[in-house]
Amino acid sequence: GVEEGKKKGTTKKIYIYISCVCVWKKKTHFILEKQARETETHFSSDTDFDDFDGKTYTPIKVKNSSGKKSKKASGEKGRSGNGAKAATGMNRMNGHHQQNGGVENMMLFEVVKLGKSAMQSVVDDWIESYKHDRDIALLDLINFFIQCSGCKGVVTAEMFRHMQNSEIIRKMTEEFDEDSGDYPLTMPGPQWKKFRSSFCEFISVLVRQCQYSIIYDEYMMDTVISLLTGLSDSQVRAFRHTSTLAAMKLMTALVNVALNLSINMDNTQRQYETERNKIIGKRANDRLELLLQKRKELQENQDEIENMMNAIFKGVFVHRYRDAISEIRAVCIEEIGVWMKMYSDAFLNDSYLKYVGWTMHDKQGEVRLKCLIALQGLYYNRELVPKLELFTSRFKDRIVSMTLDKEYEVAVQAIKLLTLVLQGSDDVLTSEDCENVYHLVYSAHRPVAVAAGEFLYKKLFSHREPDSDEVAVKRKGRQSPNAKLIKTLVFFFLESELHEHAAYLVDSMWDCAPDLLKDWECMASLLLEEPLNGEEVLTDRQESALVEIMLCTIRQTVECHPPIGRGSGRKVLTAKEKKGQLDDRTRITEQFTTVLPQLLAKYSIDAEKVTNLLQLPLFFDLEIYTTGRLEKHLDALLKHVKDIVEKHVDTEVLEACSKTYHALCNDEYTIYNRVDISRSQLIDELVDKFTHMLEDFLQEDEELDEDDAYQVLSTLKRITAFHNAHDLTRWDLFGSNYKLLKIGTENGDMPEQIVVHALQCTHYVILWNLATVSEGSSTKEQLLMLRKQMRAFCQICQRYLTNVNTAVKEQAFTILCDILMIFSHQIMTGGREVLEPLIYSPDSCLQSELLSFILDHVFIDQDEDGHSTDGHQDDEAGKIEALHKRRNLLAAFCKLIVYNVVDMNTAADIFKQYMKYYNDYGDIIKETMSKCRQVDKIQCAKTLILSLQQLFGELDQDVGLNFDRSTPGFSSVKELARRFSLTFGLDQLKTREAVAMLHKDGIDFAFKEPNVNGEGYPAVNLAFLDVLSEFSSKLIRQDKRTLYIYLERFMTEQITLHRDDVWLPLISYRNSLLTGDDDTMSVVSGISSRGSSVRSKKTKPATGKRKLPEAEESNDGSWISREHNLPSPLMSPSPHLTSTVMREPKRLRPEEESYMAVYQMPQHQPAVDYNSQMSWLIAQRQQEEARQQERAAMNYVKLRSNLQHAIRRGTGLMEDDEEPIVEDVMMSSEGRIEDLNEGMDFDTIDIDLPPSKNRRERNELKPDFFDPASIMDDSVLGVSMF
């Protein structure tokens, strides 16, 4: 009993002791966590580092008792007593403190990949494992980096103890999975994108949690840095990329630790100086010694951190920032920017900035982008700008040039960087530098333009007067603070000399200067009010620019989308944006309902200003005229618009007036009746005036008076402009216009402009009548009347196609194309069968005249187009406008072809111009081909071959029958045929029938006209077969065989005996039909159509299907060089084809047999049906030669088979190599090689890199050996180091 009591008491004492230890451990853990949090928030200057008992606390650094070591000692590795158990559980993390039981036994890679656990707890578990057995924990960390690279291999404990890092990396390289080139950092999908961030976070948290003890034990960090340095030198992209990212993130975490150490050292030094400066009686010597000791330890820690950072920078960054892979270079540049921003005292100097400056010349936009973003973080902090002065002066020109980068995002960031440079100092950028950015506000790419607009605003508009804001707000109109800025904007717009792009300038500054651009009250005041004393008056040109800018701001405010060319579509507005839009529209209406009549009255005779001002009512909220009782201002507006119509004859001004009336004549508003009455009065006056003047004008027997002609023209212009937007059917303008046009065709002396506007006005009459009839309430009489008018008008237009005036002909052609398109068979679509009587199809005569117009007025050189540019032939803008007009004419006619209004054969004359006018009309012609092929593949193919036949016929007429096929003319025809062949695409089954019919028509054309000298001479068009051979590659094998038989129908026995050069087109085309045949070998290429891998699986002795000997292949398979070596005449196939031709043809599939009917001939016609002794002798000779070739092929196959067996037996010798080549292991797939050389002009994956070295050897290397030419443009070679 006593013994048991003693045992129980002992047990109780042991239990109490263990409980106390556990409580002490928990308390200690809590204290350490609290200290870590306090250190992260940076210690203040008055921090005393006291513990909970009031005593001064000094963090104790855990040191290795064995002293500093750069390598792991073997005895230290085996310190764990459970060596076997450690080996079995080496790849599992000790997650004992995790609540998720499923994560407890997972590998570290899987935990980070899932990302379900907090990274803090994951790292804490690893640290606990490291404290228990650091070898097992480090082995887990090593395998983590290996697995993050996508490698399936595992580093065992044995490898970890006895192998160097280079040997481990080589072993892992051999076990790398090369089935796919992807690895976790490059795999697509949200899971792997999250993995990248989790991977980086793990490294950061690991260093942060270990920053007080573990990273200074000279074991963990040495091992990790050595491993990552070795992996970063690997030729395997996955290893190199993953390890570089890990090393850079590790470096970033160490920089953060170094920064904290620096802050702590400063605080400690300050506390020490404070304590030392105290009087002797109050000075605490113990505290001074403690602070000295603490400063010494912090200095030692900082030295170790610097050694680690130097090892990473010199071992990884210096080599990898010029890696062959752009992603790796981007990672390096991104992180060095973080270092310089985070710890500017240590890293923001020329020694590190030079790497960013050099890499700004990188060939990949991704890397250049990272450079600019890194620099933005530095220039954003104005305190750092003085340290960047030398860098700015050296690389400023490069940054300015990058604003024109081909990568839009790079250009945007370059402009933003220059904006930050400008904010830091106004004197850095010269006026020339700024002008290079200014013109980008007119860029078609909106982000570039917006960035340039912000730069412009910061440079020219951000400087305000020193007056107080309250005083500035009270000033309105010309005295407002925006008045000078608006003038500056006008001056800039005029000096840019891009007067037609005001909308783009406004859009560029819309985001950064909305208050300035929406100050319409100030703009109106500048236009209406008299200038103040001493104020400069706006010139007429400046006033016009201000009116245009004001219109553009109002349009963008109401429409809420950028101008054409800068946006993909209308933006979906939020509720807040919609409310802001309505408020702005109301403010615009209230502002300009009273101001607009005044502006129109002041500038009523200025066509340019009036045209812009008349567009303002299109953006009004018309209901305000009624709700605000502003009818008198509406009447004033209508009165001024009517006066403008009577004063002006410019088409643009009249169309603007017409649109204004159309916008105001909206029956949804109560002002409709008031505006409709004003419009009707105006039209009545114009029509009455036109009718009376036209009668007097046409009844005069004398010559046409110029004044009367001008009055008729001006009135007709006004009526035409209004008829475009308004229904003037009740005024019945067809009769007067038709009479005018008819007399013009009879006399031929009608003024050009009168005819043009009469044609246009009559066209509007037809269209408005059609719109009335299409509503469904029309009678049969109205349909017949419209049909009669339409046909009579078409006949008039057809007559004017032969007019002497180019403008009249172009107008007549355009209207004819529109009417033929509108009144085609498609007019009945959508349930409008009642309109069937209106269908009008052009006859062959009209089609011919339309085509002749296209050929005479569209397919001409620029210098020949002297009439359509109105005498401005030397003006570049005039040439562009003339080309645009010709493109519209061609597009109008091609539309008729595509919609089957005119015959598709007429397109042959269009298609044959494809190469000659490719730069001007290539896109239109190519699109027409595509649409025609969708409508009818066979007819489109016939049209293509017809265009080639026409070109060939023209060549015969120009040069003669016996032309040289090497002439440029014939080469251009062949090139056109090659381009046509490419349009058929790669799917031969879809275009099978069309291509076969194309070949049939080509063969018929080649033998269509026999030679006048007799059958022994080539046909007139035989050379066309050379052109036709360009399409042979688009034939499938069965159709080649059929066409080959069809070709022989045109060949006589006498033809087979000729071998002159004139017969070479026939030989060439015949060989092109034999190329790639299933049972034949190409005479041209000399290579069988099937691959050797397929042949090797056959059991039949198909020895004829093999590659020719090298002696034969040396002639490049050219039939020209081979022609004189052929043992038989033309009809004799090549020796390799003889046995195939004599075989029984294979049975075709049903769908293949259906195409045989295309050629309208018997399917079982023999290949050679000439009953002559010559052909029989040729066949016998071919059979004998084929047997010889088969025997030679059998010997070749046997020799090749024996050689392959010998190679297989000898592979064992290669397995004993001590150093297997990495390229043979990892670069076996072609895709992986492309990945390694992605975007770089390198022959190998490593450029000027030294061989792989360990950490000790790397310390002997100089850090800054750099060859910019390896990855930079030539312009970098002139960049010197600082």
Side-chain angles (χ1 to χ4, degrees), residues 1132-1194:
S1132 169
S1134 61
H1136 314 90
L1137 304 171
T1138 306
S1139 60
T1140 309
V1141 173
M1142 301 306 294
R1143 291 173 186 165
E1144 182 180 356
K1146 294 183 178 180
R1147 179 67 177 174
L1148 301 179
R1149 296 191 300 270
E1151 61 272 13
E1152 295 172 349
E1153 292 178 349
S1154 63
Y1155 286 93
M1156 301 285 286
V1158 175
Y1159 307 100
Q1160 300 178 359
M1161 59 183 179
Q1163 295 184 6
H1164 299 288
Q1165 182 176 356
V1168 182
D1169 57 350
Y1170 304 102
N1171 300 321
S1172 63
Q1173 184 177 5
M1174 179 60 68
S1175 61
W1176 181 83
L1177 291 174
I1178 292 174
Q1180 294 296 322
R1181 184 175 180 180
Q1182 291 172 352
Q1183 290 180 354
E1184 179 62 26
E1185 292 176 350
R1187 284 192 289 270
Q1188 295 177 1
Q1189 293 291 340
E1190 288 176 359
R1191 286 193 294 269
M1194 287 293 294

Side-chain angles (χ1 to χ4, degrees), residues 941-986:
K942 285 178 169 289
T943 305
L944 292 178
I945 199 66
L946 178 61
S947 64
L948 293 173
Q949 292 171 5
Q950 291 178 359
L951 283 177
F952 186 84
E954 295 173 2
L955 196 62
D956 279 348
Q957 295 176 2
D958 296 340
V959 184
L961 298 179
N962 298 325
F963 61 86
D964 187 5
R965 289 183 296 112
S966 62
T967 57
F970 187 80
S971 299
S972 64
V973 178
K974 284 200 66 175
E975 177 62 19
L976 180 61
R978 188 185 69 83
R979 293 291 187 95
F980 285 169
S981 176
L982 295 176
T983 61
F984 283 97
L986 300 176

Side-chain angles (χ1 to χ4, degrees), residues 293 306 327 377 392 398 439 477 554 714 764 886 904 914 930 953 1088:
Q293 179 66 22
E306 289 179 358
E327 291 90 341
T392 304
R398 174 56 184 163
H439 74 276
I554 293 174
S714 59
Y764 291 149
R886 293 197 300 270
M904 194 178 294
Y914 181 64
S930 176
S1088 172

Side-chain angles (χ1 to χ4, degrees), residues 51 323 368 540 545 625 654 691 765:
D51 61 4
D323 193 274
R368 300 194 299 272
D540 180 71
Y625 275 113
L654 295 175
T691 303
V765 172

Side-chain angles (χ1 to χ4, degrees), residues 52-72:
F52 291 95
D53 297 328
K55 297 179 180 180
T56 304
Y57 174 77
T58 304
I60 299 175
K61 183 175 65 174
V62 179
K63 291 186 177 291
N64 193 348
S65 59
S66 59
K68 294 186 177 181
K69 294 182 181 179
S70 60
K71 294 293 181 181
K72 301 181 288 290

Side-chain angles (χ1 to χ4, degrees), residues 306 376 405 455 485 529 601 642 719 950 989 1014 1023 1092 1159 1179:
E306 289 179 358
Q376 287 177 14
D405 197 278
F455 178 88
L485 301 181
E529 297 178 3
K642 183 178 179 181
I719 294 175
Q950 291 178 359
L989 293 180
S1092 59
Y1159 307 100

Side-chain angles (χ1 to χ4, degrees), residues 734 766 782-793 838:
F734 180 82
I766 298 294
Q782 290 177 326
L783 282 175
L784 295 178
M785 179 59 68
L786 177 58
R787 177 184 177 184
K788 181 179 179 181
Q789 292 177 354
M790 180 266 297
R791 291 178 179 268
F793 181 58
L838 297 179

Side-chain angles (χ1 to χ4, degrees), residues 303-359:
D303 293 340
E304 290 198 24
I305 294 296
E306 289 179 358
N307 291 334
M308 297 176 193
M309 292 191 298
N310 286 331
I312 296 176
F313 187 82
K314 297 178 181 179
V316 180
F317 178 87
V318 172
H319 302 280
R320 296 281 68 81
Y321 89 100
R322 54 193 177 103
D323 193 274
I325 305 302
S326 60
E327 291 90 341
I328 299 177
R329 303 198 301 274
V331 166
C332 295
I333 296 303
E334 182 180 11
E335 294 305 315
I336 196 176
V338 175
W339 308 338
M340 290 186 290
K341 181 180 179 181
M342 182 187 300
Y343 198 178
S344 59
D345 293 338
F347 289 94
L348 189 55
N349 54 62
D350 300 333
S351 298
Y352 296 97
L353 281 170
K354 63 184 179 183
Y355 295 106
V356 181
W358 286 336
T359 317

